Amino acid sequence: MAHEVADKVTYNAFLSSYWLGKEEMANKKLLSLIELENHIGVTEMQEFKNTSEQSQREMRLLLGQLIKEKLIQRLKDAKWFSILVDEVTYCATLEQLLIYVGYVDEEGKSHFDFLEVKDILETSESADSDTLTRIITEELKACGLTLALVFGFGSDGASVMTGKNIGVGARLQKVCSIMERSHYINHRLALACSDANDTVKYIQTIEFTLRQLWKWLEYPRSVPVQHL
C-alpha cells in the first residue's frame, strides 16, 4: 500500500511539473501547485518530500529527456524534416543556439517543436558559421537523425547563417542538396515592426499609450499618467 501511494505521489508530482512547462508557467510554482492539490483533496501529495531545487531540476530534466525521445521517434517516422535555428544571448554573456524542427506526421498534420538549446562557446571561441554548423550536425547525429534528410533550413537572416558560400545554410546544403534555405517570416515581421516603430508616428503614439497604461496599472500611486 505504501508503495502504491509513493508511486501515485511521484506520478502526480511529475504530471504537475509537466503541466507547468506545457502551460509555459514558472518552474518555481511547482510547490505552490502541489500545495493547492493537497488543499483541494489530493491529500497524498502531502507525502511529497522532494522539495529541494536540485530535486525539482532533476524532475524537469527527466521530463525533458522523455519528451525529446518521443519527438525524435516522431521525426524518424516522418523521415523528412526541416530545422530552424536562432542565436540568443543569455545574461549578456552566454551565447546559445536554439534548434527547432518542423515535420508532418502520419496523419498529415504539420508540427513545429523545440529540439535543443546549445551553448555555442562551450567548445569554441567564436560563434562563426563553422562552429554553428558543427553544433547542428553533432546534435542531429546524437539524436540519431540524418542531416541528408533535412529538406528545409530557416534562420534569422544574419550573414553567418545566410552567407552564399560559407554561411551555415550553404554548409548544410552541401550535405543535403535538396534543402531549401530561408529567412523565416516571424523574424522578418519583427524587423518590419521595429522599423515601423521608428518611422510611423501613429505606432509610436500607440506604444507610448500602452506603456503609460501599464505603468499606471503596475504603479497606480507613484506614476502619474502623462497626457498626449
Side-chain angles (χ1 to χ4, degrees), residues 84-139:
L84 187 150
V85 298
D86 193 11
E87 294 179 78
V88 296
T89 301
Y90 180 68
C91 294
T93 57
L94 182 62
E95 290 191 54
Q96 297 178 318
L97 182 69
L98 304 180
I99 305 176
Y100 295 83
V101 289
Y103 60 98
V104 177
D105 63 21
E106 296 178 347
E107 298 178 355
K109 296 181 180 179
S110 60
H111 298 269
F112 186 72
D113 296 321
F114 169 76
L115 179 65
E116 187 59 83
V117 56
K118 306 294 291 186
D119 181 357
I120 298 176
L121 302 181
E122 182 179 14
T123 58
S124 177
E125 296 181 355
S126 174
D128 54 24
S129 63
D130 182 61
T131 297
L132 299 178
T133 302
R134 176 178 53 79
I135 290 175
I136 295 171
T137 303
E138 290 178 351
E139 174 59 26

Side-chain angles (χ1 to χ4, degrees), residues 31-151:
L31 297 184
S32 176
L33 178 59
I34 290 177
E35 183 179 348
L36 173 62
E37 293 169 352
N38 184 55
H39 178 73
I40 62 178
V42 191
T43 54
E44 62 266 19
M45 292 311 294
Q46 63 186 348
E47 300 299 325
F48 180 68
K49 305 301 182 181
N50 300 318
T51 58
S52 68
E53 289 292 334
Q54 180 62 27
S55 295
Q56 294 179 56
R57 181 176 183 274
E58 290 178 357
M59 288 174 60
R60 293 192 293 271
L61 290 175
L62 287 172
L63 282 170
Q65 185 59 37
L66 178 60
I67 292 171
K68 184 176 181 180
E69 288 175 359
K70 291 185 175 181
L71 170 59
I72 292 172
Q73 186 57 54
R74 293 197 298 271
L75 289 173
K76 291 180 178 178
D77 293 339
K79 187 176 180 180
W80 300 95
F81 61 96
S82 62
I83 59 176
L84 187 150
V85 298
D86 193 11
E87 294 179 78
V88 296
T89 301
Y90 180 68
C91 294
T93 57
L94 182 62
E95 290 191 54
Q96 297 178 318
L97 182 69
L98 304 180
I99 305 176
Y100 295 83
V101 289
Y103 60 98
V104 177
D105 63 21
E106 296 178 347
E107 298 178 355
K109 296 181 180 179
S110 60
H111 298 269
F112 186 72
D113 296 321
F114 169 76
L115 179 65
E116 187 59 83
V117 56
K118 306 294 291 186
D119 181 357
I120 298 176
L121 302 181
E122 182 179 14
T123 58
S124 177
E125 296 181 355
S126 174
D128 54 24
S129 63
D130 182 61
T131 297
L132 299 178
T133 302
R134 176 178 53 79
I135 290 175
I136 295 171
T137 303
E138 290 178 351
E139 174 59 26
L140 293 180
K141 182 178 180 180
C143 294
L145 301 171
T146 304
L147 182 58
L149 297 179
V150 177
F151 67 86

